[in-house]
Amino acid sequence: MKELFGSPGRVSGFGLRVGQFVFAAASIGVMVSARGFFNSTAFCYLIASMGLQVLWSFGLACLDLHSLRSKRNLQNPVLVSLFVVGDWVTSILSLAAACASGGVTVLYSRDLNYCKQPPYFPCSRFKISIVLAFISWSLLAISSHVMFWLLANV
Amino acid sequence: MKELFGSPGRVSGFGLRVGQFVFAAASIGVMVSARGFFNSTAFCYLIASMGLQVLWSFGLACLDLHSLRSKRNLQNPVLVSLFVVGDWVTSILSLAAACASGGVTVLYSRDLNYCKQPPYFPCSRFKISIVLAFISWSLLAISSHVMFWLLANV
């Protein structure tokens, strides 16, 4: 298998996983701190989806760290297939959650004007949380594409 | 290059493009026929995004048909790279639009209860349009993955 930026068991791959984990956790933290987030199903789904991403990325970051320390090669077809499926499922769920929340936030702030009128939702917090979710998703998208490329080159 | 299901210039590829085109056009039609869709930015974005998908898929369907008739091979690296970029951009925009609209529809129907109380939005039409957009996106996702796989195997 080729050695690409972001491959499993490389420093760049480990960095991507840590980035995904940190941004997803930050997104959850900001959303939970926003008053009234539970009024929208989309925001609850964003928290659930980012929670899944935190678990997945943390697990793979640990695996990458173990591989870096023990110099074990993680690039065998079975493991890469597993990473591809997991990455794609998490990636699609994260993008769906971020976009659904984005749609609701735009509705609140532009169409219903709920940010400057009662019930005065903290839209800026919603927006920060969604931007963090998008950053986390974009890092995951890089990992997913690298994994798919590796699998296609087996 | 390998010959895969859904490759450009094959009957399966042409079928996928026609499916994407038909479902995206149907999604636009149903959404436009729903009263009050313009109250939400997400629904307008869905129409714009499905419009782009209609144009892209129609163009590629014509190219596939031309290739099928003239027996010309479309699988050269430059063309496939172009298809990959176009497919991925359209695919991400379509998924984002479908999810944003889905988030708003769930907010209307479950959280704000706007479907059974004033302003009585036609939520079933919104839902049908979003389901059609998701079907169109899933067909486009198959095409995108096939293209990426072909490019990785150049």
Side-chain angles (χ1 to χ4, degrees):
Chain A
M1 280 188 177
K2 287 180 186 171
E3 281 292 328
L4 291 173
F5 172 86
S7 309
R10 289 196 62 185
V11 179
S12 52
F14 174 69
L16 278 175
R17 296 297 173 188
V18 170
Q20 291 156 24
F21 166 76
V22 168
F23 283 107
S27 170
I28 295 177
V30 175
M31 185 54 87
V32 167
S33 75
R35 186 180 49 77
F37 75 88
F38 45 80
N39 286 314
S40 162
T41 310
F43 295 153
C44 300
Y45 170 45
L46 181 75
I47 293 175
S49 171
M50 285 295 119
L52 177 71
Q53 188 162 327
V54 162
L55 291 175
W56 174 255
S57 298
F58 182 73
L60 288 203
C62 291
L63 206 62
D64 278 344
L65 195 66
H66 170 73
S67 155
L68 280 170
R69 285 193 167 189
S70 64
K71 310 270 178 211
R72 253 187 89 178
N73 187 11
L74 287 179
Q75 296 190 31
N76 72 63
V78 180
L79 261 184
V80 172
S81 309
L82 189 77
F83 295 157
V84 166
V85 174
D87 267 351
W88 279 98
V89 170
T90 333
S91 158
I92 289 174
L93 290 179
S94 297
L95 179 62
C99 293
S101 305
V104 170
T105 305
V106 170
L107 188 84
Y108 277 167
S109 60
R110 286 189 54 185
D111 306 321
L112 298 175
N113 219 4
Y114 274 1
C115 306
K116 292 180 181 166
Q117 288 172 3
Y120 295 110
F121 281 133
C123 292
S124 53
R125 291 208 176 199
F126 296 156
K127 285 175 191 164
I128 294 170
S129 171
I130 292 164
V131 167
L132 291 168
F134 269 114
I135 297 174
S136 180
W137 166 76
S138 56
L139 296 175
L140 187 57
I142 298 173
S143 290
S144 321
H145 278 87
V146 170
M147 293 294 174
F148 196 69
W149 191 273
L150 285 174
L151 187 69
N153 279 297
V154 170
Chain B
M1 278 188 177
K2 289 181 187 172
E3 281 292 327
L4 290 172
F5 172 87
S7 309
R10 288 195 61 185
V11 179
S12 52
F14 174 68
L16 278 175
R17 296 297 172 189
V18 171
Q20 292 156 23
F21 166 76
V22 168
F23 283 107
S27 170
I28 295 177
V30 175
M31 185 55 86
V32 168
S33 74
R35 187 180 47 78
F37 76 89
F38 46 79
N39 286 314
S40 163
T41 309
F43 295 153
C44 299
Y45 171 46
L46 181 75
I47 292 174
S49 170
M50 285 296 118
L52 177 70
Q53 188 164 327
V54 162
L55 291 176
W56 175 254
S57 298
F58 182 73
L60 289 203
C62 291
L63 206 63
D64 278 344
L65 196 66
H66 169 74
S67 154
L68 279 170
R69 286 193 164 188
S70 63
K71 312 269 178 211
R72 251 187 89 180
N73 187 13
L74 287 179
Q75 296 190 31
N76 73 62
V78 179
L79 262 185
V80 172
S81 308
L82 189 77
F83 295 158
V84 165
V85 173
D87 267 352
W88 279 99
V89 170
T90 333
S91 157
I92 289 175
L93 289 179
S94 296
L95 179 62
C99 293
S101 305
V104 170
T105 305
V106 170
L107 187 85
Y108 277 166
S109 60
R110 287 190 54 185
D111 306 322
L112 299 175
N113 218 5
Y114 275 0
C115 307
K116 292 179 180 167
Q117 288 173 3
Y120 296 109
F121 281 133
C123 292
S124 53
R125 291 207 175 198
F126 296 155
K127 285 176 193 164
I128 293 170
S129 170
I130 293 164
V131 168
L132 290 169
F134 270 114
I135 297 174
S136 180
W137 167 77
S138 56
L139 295 176
L140 187 56
I142 298 173
S143 290
S144 322
H145 278 88
V146 169
M147 293 294 174
F148 196 68
W149 191 274
L150 285 174
L151 186 68
N153 279 298
V154 170

